[in-house]
Amino acid sequence: MTSPTDMHCGLALRSYLAATHLIPLVAKPILRRRLKRGKEHPVRWQEKLGLRLAPRPDGPLIWIHAVGLGEVLSVRGLIARLAAARPDLSFLVTSTTAASATVFAKHAPPRTLHQFLPLDAPSYRRRFLDHFTPDLCVWVEQDLWPGLVSDLSARGTPQCIVAARMNATSHRSHQRAAAVYRDLYSAMAMITAQDATTAAHLSALGADAIVTGSLKPAADDLSCDPTELAQLSTQLADRFVWAVAPAHPEDNAHALAAHDRILKNDPSALLIIAPRFPDADIAVDGPCRSKGEGPHPDHPTWVCDTLGDLGLIYRLAQAALIGGTFSDIEGHNPWEAAALGCAILHGPRTAHFATDYSQLAAAGGAILVRTAEDSALALTSSALTETAANARHAKDTASKQTDTLALDLLRLCEGTYG
């Protein structure tokens, strides 16, 4: 195992660390402007300054950083496995987006607290690390903060990167700061990648990565209000229900065109539109969840534009067209829908989740659609139920990859890895 104090600190990284002393000069004005625009949490934004932090749990603490909403939700399965093996462990999950905090609050595992990651200034980092004193730091996917990596190394705290994901575009971006990343990777006791392509890109940057797959299939099922689910399930029992989620404009256009075709033979069919961003302008005249409106028996669509409700939507739907797959978003996580009984449909643009969609397709649990006619045919196929069952099976199979990773992290926390 690499010693935490073996980290190399070259000129590029030293220059970055020197520049972080200037962050406090601009941090508060920038955060306050973002606060006015609704981009920061109205109460907890000062956590990004290392202030007003939650009490540290007693006992050993594993800190997991996952930058945004999808990454934060993905770590729940890993936490569940670690907690089951070591009941004395507590977990700190950090992220940077307000939406991630709001949604994670609904789905947080036991013995787990959430905080916003402090900005990478020396004083903010020091307050955060002095307060939480983590026993292990786990960086998820590719969001590394050089100052915190350096400080953890200096303190002798073991750290690792898990489920790294780096496509060709991201690799080119990393190459522009290759010297910095080589130093940061030298501080890691373990680096795992989601796929062979990422592992090759990391190797080109000086990292020795092993492929362990994505964390997302291992995440616990998204939750929902059981009373509301029961009421809506009864209300919609005689309707064919499908969803487009998390949806962007291109996904909405495709789904609405497909739904028009379905309605010609099934006028009672319901399309649930779940926009990725709740304040998105959806050009649909119909009931809207943010206005307190539920699905109407005489209307073919329901806009579910509230955060944290995918657990409800996917349980109501028989199939889900996963958003971001018709634009340069390049896909969203399909496993949440697969876990809750949905057949998976997706467009041709899935670069950010290429391995995930390949696994689903190989198991017969995902259908590639390019046109609205493709989607209408898939959704009215007699094989849709079988596709949903295959998707769930693929999710269960893929989730086993996280079991071994959890054991490696426990050994790392205990100082016996390697």
Side-chain angles (χ1 to χ4, degrees):
M1 181 179 75
T2 302
S3 169
T5 56
D6 285 346
M7 178 181 178
H8 182 265
C9 191
L11 178 60
L13 180 55
R14 292 199 304 273
S15 299
Y16 170 89
L17 295 175
T20 63
H21 288 269
L22 301 176
I23 291 176
L25 299 178
V26 297
K28 288 183 180 180
I30 289 175
L31 289 173
R32 289 194 173 108
R33 283 198 295 271
R34 287 175 54 83
L35 186 63
K36 289 180 180 179
R37 298 199 304 268
K39 299 295 185 181
E40 297 291 343
H41 194 285
V43 177
R44 295 175 46 198
W45 66 275
Q46 290 192 63
E47 292 172 15
K48 293 191 173 183
L49 306 176
L51 299 171
R52 299 188 179 182
L53 301 173
R56 185 199 190 279
D58 294 332
L61 178 68
I62 293 181
W63 166 29
I64 302 174
H65 175 64
V67 58
L69 176 56
E71 294 83 7
V72 162
L73 291 176
S74 77
V75 304
R76 294 171 300 124
L78 178 61
I79 290 174
R81 287 159 172 75
L82 293 168
R86 284 277 304 270
D88 61 322
L89 287 175
S90 295
F91 304 91
L92 166 66
V93 174
T94 57
S95 63
T96 59
T97 66
S100 63
T102 300
V103 176
F104 190 70
K106 294 184 178 183
H107 303 287
R111 308 201 308 271
T112 303
L113 63 93
H114 175 274
Q115 298 281 268
F116 289 110
L117 189 73
L119 300 177
D120 212 18
S123 57
Y124 306 162
R125 303 189 310 248
R126 183 171 58 254
R127 283 197 290 261
F128 178 85
L129 293 176
D130 285 349
H131 179 79
F132 285 114
T133 59
D135 295 277
L136 171 67
C137 174
V138 180
W139 301 95
V140 176
E141 295 204 3
Q142 59 177 318
D143 192 49
L144 291 177
W145 289 57
L148 281 161
V149 172
S150 300
D151 288 358
L152 286 165
S153 181
R155 291 169 180 244
T157 304
Q159 51 190 320
C160 58
I161 302 171
V162 301
R165 185 179 65 179
M166 188 181 296
N167 60 22
T169 301
S170 179
H171 182 230
R172 286 192 294 270
S173 175
H174 281 67
Q175 283 180 314
R176 289 194 286 270
V180 172
Y181 283 104
R182 278 196 297 272
D183 288 349
L184 298 180
Y185 295 150
S186 75
M188 302 299 155
M190 178 175 72
I191 300 176
T192 79
Q194 293 190 23
D195 51 63
T197 298
T198 294
H201 288 154
L202 288 168
S203 177
L205 292 167
D208 183 14
I210 58 174
V211 178
T212 59
S214 170
L215 297 178
K216 291 178 173 65
D220 292 344
D221 293 353
L222 295 174
S223 62
C224 71
D225 182 335
T227 301
E228 183 178 24
L229 174 63
Q231 291 172 344
L232 287 171
S233 296
T234 300
Q235 178 183 339
L236 301 173
D238 296 327
R239 302 179 70 177
F240 172 70
V241 181
W242 69 292
V244 54
H248 299 267
E250 297 86 353
D251 312 310
N252 292 333
H254 179 101
L256 288 167
H259 199 54
D260 283 343
R261 288 165 169 77
I262 293 171
L263 291 171
K264 291 176 181 178
N265 295 313
D266 184 0
S268 70
L270 175 67
L271 168 63
I272 302 176
I273 301 173
R276 172 63 181 85
F277 302 105
D279 57 354
D281 184 16
I282 308 296
V284 175
D285 181 21
C288 185
R289 184 169 172 81
S290 65
K291 298 177 181 178
E293 299 166 345
H296 193 278
D298 296 326
H299 203 282
T301 63
W302 179 34
V303 177
C304 200
D305 55 347
T306 47
L307 282 172
D309 286 323
L310 289 180
L312 173 67
I313 294 166
Y314 290 148
R315 283 180 172 88
L316 294 172
Q318 297 170 46
L321 174 65
I322 306 300
T325 59
F326 290 94
S327 67
D328 59 6
I329 302 298
E330 296 290 351
H332 285 296
N333 177 12
W335 298 112
E336 294 166 340
L340 297 175
C342 290
I344 304 300
L345 278 66
H346 65 89
R349 304 192 63 173
T350 59
H352 288 163
F353 293 86
T355 300
D356 305 84
Y357 285 98
S358 293
Q359 289 175 304
L360 280 163
I367 303 170
L368 169 62
V369 293
R370 298 182 184 276
T371 67
E373 185 66 26
D374 290 343
S375 289
L377 288 172
L379 290 163
T380 55
S381 168
S382 60
L384 195 66
T385 300
E386 182 182 355
T387 302
N390 291 340
R392 174 70 208 206
H393 179 71
K395 189 264 184 189
D396 292 340
T397 300
S399 70
K400 295 176 183 177
Q401 300 169 129
T402 303
D403 296 342
T404 300
L405 175 61
L407 293 175
D408 287 340
L409 289 176
L410 287 174
R411 289 196 288 267
L412 184 56
C413 189
E414 295 162 358
T416 60
Y417 177 83

